[in-house]
Amino acid sequence: MFEILIGLAAIIALFVIISRQQSRIGLIERELGALRSLVLSGAVPSPAKPAEQAATDGKPADAFPAAAAVADLAASPASGAVSAEAPAVPAEAASGGVVAGPWDKDEAKPEAAEPAEPAAAKAARQSEVETALGTRWAVWVGGIALALGGLFLIRYTIEAGIFGPGVRLTMAALLGLILIAGGEFIRRTGFKVPVQGAAGAYIPAILTAAGAFILFGTVYAAYGIYGFIGPTLAFTMLGVIGVTTIAAALVHGQALAGIGLVGAMVTPALVASEAPNPWALFGYLAIVLAATGAIARMRDWTLLMAAAFAGTGIWTILYMTDAPGVNLSTILFINAVTLAVLAFVWLGGRGEEGPASRFDWPSIAPAFFVAFSALGLSVDPAFAAAGYALPGAVLLAAMLAVALCRQRALPLLHAAGLVTVMIYLGIIPPTTIGSDIVGGSLGVDGQPAVVSDALTRNIGIGLGLLFIAAGFWAARRWAATAWIRSASWAAWGVIAPLVVLLALWFTFGNLDRDLLYAAVAALLVVVFAVGGEWIARAEEAPLKGGTSVSFALGGAAVAGLLMLHMAFGSGWTTILIGAAAIVPALATRWRSYPVLGWISVAAVIAVLGRVAYDPTIVGAGLLSTTPVFNWLLLGYGVPALAFGFAAWQLARTTNGRPRLAMEAAAALFALLTLAMLVRHAMHGGVIDTGVMTLAEQAIYTLIAIGAGAILVAIDMRSPSSVLRYGSMAAGVASVAFIGIRHFVVLNPLFTDESTGQIPVLNLLFLAYLLPAVAAGGLALYARDKRPKWYAQMLAVVAAVLALAYATLSVRRLFKGEFIGLWSGLGQLETYTYSALWLAIGVVLLTAGVWLKSQVLRIASAALIAIAVLKVFLFDMSELEGVLRALSFIGLGAVLIGIGLFYQRLLTRAAKDADKDKQEQADSNPVRE
């Protein structure tokens, strides 16, 4: 343990020293870049060619490539192409050569200050395939061939028996060292990639990688195949090779670092031990992670850093799967090192401003694996039995602390919040999710996922308070500069505490009524509301009510919903949720937060959900049989009034889409109130799925028609698209009810339902005459206020209803209370229908002329045509004697009368037209 701490301290000290040197090198690079810009712009004379300058200075010309190579080794990736090209300007400016460092990939750009020489122009026109084959692929394949050649040489010596195992391993080690030395020699002697786009074929890095690969194989063979060395020495040597390879990547590029990292991470799997020491494993992983983090930070190698975090996390999870023989201290140690490397090495010293600071994607790896460790410690049965839930909560708190200190580590916040939610809801992948209440706790597959003890409750309270404090503080801190980060903190600041409260209520509370948890929920309402106001005052435009404020106030609304469920019974909960829609609407008088109107809409959705679950409001067993004055009136009527008031208030403040939604909700619940009261009264105080009668359907139809008229009237006083289209929807719905239910499904001709014993005020009066009058009145009222087709549709339906009432009344006159079709038709009854239809046709014609309604005149013509067809096709064959004669005589008289009426009407219209023309001519005499 002491040696591990010494190693970590040495690595951190080395990182600090190199960081200081990097800052100095960066200053030199900036000065060289400024000088290069002056040279290219022509402000200073062009540098002499290498040969001439060498002759002047008395130095050989080949010294310049070496100098360029040394300068390139000192360059940092932060200066990119500028730092790679700046040292080589004296040697290559004249020839137009392009220089690329080992970690620069296709970033070098050709010199364009002067026309290139013919040779350079010809090289630039070479095909990309030729360049790839000659520079990159040849080097890559050559490196692989060298590595395999070393292995094949060892294999050949084994098969031929030329050398013993010791000699073979020594030769392999020498070959690896020679390749590494060769790569370093070529690098130090000034190797540069002379072709643009071939930076990936950096020969020194390829040779070094091949040598490292051979050394890895040699050490493993000495341990695993021949047993020349023990596990401790093999583990140490493999680790040293891996870390050294990673360090060599500072001058050879990220690819070599990746090879070293893979070798370092695979080492623990290659070396087995009869008595594994977890401290040795995780101490070694900590050293590898810290070294990799320091090197990746110097070169800003995000992929390398992410891979190092992922490798360490994978080893941690693999170790945790060996529970219960797990050492908790080692798990906490490696996770702490992971968070420390992320916070102080990888993200330490980075700029926290600007768009680039919003998100650091390598942070996803430590966020995932540390959060997974916390999840395992909290819910795994073996860990939970050992009391490891508290250390898991400590890991979550540490993640939040790092996310607060390093704002680019936002994935830590999301991971910690998600794991907290998963722990307290019992949603634990990859098991089958099936949340249910098992023994007083939420469960997975019938087994409790959250242990129901005081420790779980206390941890939940602590995490909830931590999320609230950190979430609202961070949301306010970044409310004016980084709204995404602020919104993320505000979201988890309300989501996590609410989920914890809900889970603890299910686990420890009374699901029927629990005033203690209701008080906690009420406290959350106040905290979230005050916190939202606190955040709003820190916004760039104060009190704008951005996303963070919306999350805070939305959390307050959800907490209020939980409070009502916890404190009240079913009936009062529904009523109070509906009444609560008034609160955010009233708040718009003082604050113009966009979320306030939508909170009222959320209250509508909550009430709809409750009445859909239990239409009786309080349960069928507790619903009184008293008509009208029962829980239905309160459960539907109070929300309807509240929604209407909220719509009225929003219309005078925000006047946006929430206002339209509230208007629609008010109209809907007003209709539901009437409909449910009717249903309750007509079924003896019982709300069930009993068969609907024609009388009940008639009341629903009258309610729909009346709602359409009321909405039209309200729309005329306070125009609204919801009221306009809602009124037409109510009218169309009533027409659909009439066409389907009144005329087909519930028609007493088909059902033989009793029409009542009273001659006039009977079922036919309620189901046909009253809807006819209502539809006709709505058509007349909406004629100039709604589209023409809408008024015409209602007028036609009213006429058809009136005809149906008259026809069915005639049948009731002949048949009595029951008027089913199977009772047949008498001759006098048949004749009466013809006379009745002709009379109604004449009445419709008169009304159409008087009201100047073309629709009524067309309906009159259609009805008279039907009567004519009936007389000629049906009465001629069915009637006999005087009834047949009277049928035709009556038809003829009516038709002649109609013709005479139309002739006089048209004659009068023609005379009026001539009179108007004459008066117009007299008023405008022609002047000669």
Side-chain angles (χ1 to χ4, degrees):
M1 180 65 183
F2 180 71
E3 293 80 359
I4 293 172
L5 295 178
I6 292 177
L8 288 175
I11 290 174
I12 294 175
L14 178 64
F15 171 73
V16 173
I17 295 173
I18 295 177
S19 298
R20 293 180 177 177
Q21 297 299 323
Q22 286 291 107
S23 62
R24 298 178 181 177
I25 294 173
L27 178 61
I28 296 174
E29 288 174 351
R30 288 192 293 273
E31 294 178 353
L32 289 176
L35 179 61
R36 179 177 180 275
S37 301
L38 292 176
V39 172
L40 294 179
S41 63
V44 296
S46 301
K49 293 184 179 180
E52 297 173 357
Q53 189 171 354
T56 303
D57 299 340
K59 297 180 181 179
D62 57 358
F64 289 95
V70 174
D72 184 64
L73 293 178
S76 72
S79 56
V82 175
S83 64
E85 292 178 4
V89 168
E92 298 180 2
S95 61
V98 178
V99 179
W103 51 81
D104 297 326
K105 296 184 179 180
D106 299 336
E107 293 182 1
K109 298 181 180 179
E111 301 288 348
E114 298 179 358
E117 296 182 0
K122 182 178 180 180
R125 291 192 298 268
Q126 291 180 349
S127 67
E128 295 183 359
V129 176
E130 181 180 359
T131 301
L133 289 173
T135 59
R136 296 190 295 270
W137 295 358
V139 175
W140 294 340
V141 176
I144 296 174
L146 285 174
L148 293 177
L151 296 180
F152 290 153
L153 179 61
I154 296 175
R155 179 179 178 181
Y156 171 74
T157 59
I158 295 174
E159 294 175 350
I162 298 176
F163 302 109
V167 177
R168 290 195 293 268
L169 293 177
T170 302
M171 292 176 61
L174 288 176
L175 177 59
L177 294 175
I178 290 172
L179 291 176
I180 295 174
E184 182 65 15
F185 174 77
I186 294 176
R187 184 186 68 82
R188 289 180 177 272
T189 54
F191 176 80
K192 286 290 180 180
V193 181
V195 180
Q196 180 181 2
Y202 189 58
I203 293 177
I206 299 296
L207 293 177
T208 304
F213 179 77
I214 292 175
L215 290 179
F216 269 116
T218 301
V219 174
Y220 179 71
Y223 160 72
I225 299 177
Y226 299 111
F228 288 163
I229 58 178
T232 303
L233 181 59
F235 185 87
T236 304
M237 293 180 67
L238 289 175
V240 169
I241 294 172
V243 174
T244 305
T245 305
I246 297 173
L250 285 172
V251 295
H252 290 299
Q254 184 173 194
L256 183 62
I259 295 174
L261 179 62
V262 171
M265 289 297 172
V266 172
T267 294
L270 297 177
V271 180
S273 175
E274 295 181 356
N277 185 357
W279 278 109
L281 170 64
F282 288 109
Y284 164 78
L285 291 175
I287 294 175
V288 172
L289 179 61
T292 306
I295 294 171
R297 175 65 182 88
M298 295 175 192
R299 297 301 190 204
D300 198 22
W301 288 336
T302 56
L303 184 60
L304 179 67
M305 191 71 259
F309 282 132
T312 305
I314 290 173
W315 272 113
T316 305
I317 300 305
L318 291 177
Y319 176 70
M320 291 180 66
T321 57
D322 194 26
V326 173
N327 190 327
L328 175 63
S329 301
T330 57
I331 297 176
L332 297 178
F333 167 75
I334 193 60
N335 282 289
V337 170
T338 300
L339 294 177
V341 170
L342 175 65
F344 302 111
V345 178
W346 175 243
L347 296 180
R350 291 183 182 269
E352 297 290 343
E353 302 296 334
S357 65
R358 292 179 180 175
F359 180 72
D360 177 70
W361 74 264
S363 301
I364 297 176
F368 174 79
F369 287 107
V370 176
F372 198 88
S373 299
L375 180 65
L377 293 175
S378 300
V379 302
D380 187 272
F383 294 135
Y388 289 176
L390 183 58
V394 172
L395 286 181
L396 295 176
M399 293 175 67
L400 291 179
V402 174
L404 278 176
C405 297
R406 296 289 182 260
Q407 53 183 291
R408 297 185 65 177
L410 198 60
L412 292 178
L413 167 66
H414 297 297
L418 185 61
V419 166
T420 302
V421 170
M422 292 171 65
I423 290 173
Y424 281 90
L425 285 184
I427 307 176
I428 308 170
T431 58
T432 302
I433 300 174
S435 296
D436 54 357
I437 301 175
V438 180
S441 63
L442 295 179
V444 178
D445 289 340
Q447 297 297 323
V450 180
V451 179
S452 301
D453 56 12
L455 178 62
T456 302
R457 181 180 57 199
N458 296 336
I459 290 175
I461 294 173
L463 288 176
L465 294 175
L466 181 61
F467 270 100
I468 292 174
F472 280 86
W473 181 84
R476 176 180 169 83
R477 176 185 176 187
W478 290 304
T481 57
W483 72 269
I484 295 179
R485 187 177 300 114
S486 176
S488 299
W489 279 100
W492 286 114
V494 299
I495 293 174
L498 288 174
V499 170
V500 170
L501 175 62
L502 181 65
L504 294 182
W505 178 43
F506 273 108
T507 306
F508 301 101
N510 186 344
L511 297 182
D512 293 329
R513 183 176 299 176
D514 197 313
L515 296 180
L516 176 61
Y517 281 93
V520 175
L523 181 61
L524 288 183
V525 173
V526 176
V527 171
F528 291 162
V530 174
E533 181 71 12
W534 188 50
I535 295 171
R537 294 181 182 274
E539 292 179 315
E540 186 173 358
L543 304 179
K544 182 179 65 175
T547 308
S548 302
V549 178
S550 299
F551 275 117
L553 297 183
V558 175
L561 179 66
L562 290 177
M563 178 196 68
L564 295 177
H565 278 85
M566 295 171 180
F568 299 97
S570 176
W572 283 112
T573 300
T574 303
I575 296 170
L576 292 176
I577 292 175
I582 298 176
V583 177
L586 286 175
T588 58
R589 294 184 177 183
W590 299 277
R591 293 290 184 269
S592 59
Y593 300 153
V595 73
L596 292 175
W598 293 110
I599 293 177
S600 296
V601 176
V604 174
I605 297 174
V607 176
L608 280 174
R610 288 195 60 85
V611 299
Y613 176 75
D614 184 10
T616 63
I617 306 300
V618 292
L622 299 177
L623 181 61
S624 172
T625 58
T626 304
V628 181
F629 298 102
N630 50 56
W631 276 102
L632 296 177
L633 180 62
L634 295 175
Y636 291 91
V638 171
L641 294 174
F643 298 157
F645 178 82
W648 175 82
Q649 179 60 58
L650 293 175
R652 282 151 181 78
T653 51
T654 60
N655 196 24
R657 292 184 178 179
R659 169 233 174 166
L660 302 178
M662 297 308 295
E663 289 176 346
L668 174 62
F669 270 83
L671 292 177
L672 286 176
T673 303
L674 296 176
M676 294 303 294
L677 291 176
V678 169
R679 179 78 174 178
H680 177 268
M682 300 199 66
H683 285 259
V686 178
I687 301 295
D688 55 16
T689 58
V691 178
M692 185 183 298
T693 62
L694 180 59
E696 182 180 353
Q697 179 60 60
I699 295 176
Y700 296 150
T701 303
L702 290 172
I703 292 173
I705 296 174
I710 293 173
L711 293 176
V712 171
I714 297 175
D715 182 52
M716 298 308 297
R717 298 184 59 182
S718 178
S720 168
S721 58
V722 169
L723 297 176
R724 176 177 177 82
Y725 293 108
S727 63
M728 292 191 292
V732 172
S734 63
V735 171
F737 287 153
I738 293 169
I740 298 174
R741 308 287 292 181
H742 289 245
F743 289 149
V744 180
V745 178
L746 300 177
N747 194 327
L749 281 176
F750 307 134
T751 63
D752 201 24
E753 180 182 354
S754 172
T755 59
Q757 300 177 356
I758 303 176
V760 178
L761 301 177
N762 50 39
L763 179 61
L764 300 180
F765 178 85
L766 177 63
Y768 294 96
L769 184 58
L770 285 182
V773 174
L778 180 57
L780 184 62
Y781 180 67
R783 184 167 57 174
D784 298 328
K785 303 176 182 64
R786 290 294 178 264
K788 187 177 180 180
W789 64 266
Y790 179 72
Q792 292 176 348
M793 175 190 69
L794 291 173
V796 170
V797 169
V800 175
L801 280 171
L803 175 63
Y805 171 73
T807 303
L808 294 177
S809 296
V810 169
R811 183 161 181 83
R812 185 182 183 281
L813 182 63
F814 284 95
K815 300 297 182 180
E817 181 179 352
F818 299 95
I819 58 173
L821 278 178
W822 45 83
S823 60
L825 291 173
Q827 291 192 8
L828 183 58
E829 181 184 354
T830 303
Y831 171 77
T832 305
Y833 291 144
S834 301
L836 177 65
W837 292 354
L838 288 173
I840 294 176
V842 172
V843 172
L844 289 176
L845 177 60
T846 304
V849 173
W850 180 55
L851 297 174
K852 297 181 181 180
S853 174
Q854 185 181 11
V855 174
L856 291 180
R857 295 197 299 270
I858 293 175
S860 170
L863 183 56
I864 293 173
I866 294 174
V868 171
L869 291 176
K870 178 181 178 296
V871 170
F872 280 94
L873 297 180
F874 189 79
D875 292 359
M876 184 179 292
S877 60
E878 295 295 329
L879 297 182
E880 297 178 356
V882 66
L883 292 178
R884 179 189 297 176
L886 291 176
S887 177
F888 278 88
I889 292 172
L891 176 61
V894 170
L895 293 178
I896 292 174
I898 291 174
L900 180 61
F901 175 77
Y902 263 100
Q903 288 178 6
R904 290 185 177 182
L905 182 63
L906 295 177
T907 301
R908 182 182 302 175
K911 289 180 179 180
D912 292 340
D914 293 341
K915 184 178 181 180
D916 292 339
K917 290 180 180 179
Q918 184 63 35
E919 290 178 354
Q920 185 177 7
D922 294 341
S923 62
N924 298 306
V926 179
R927 296 181 181 179
E928 297 181 359

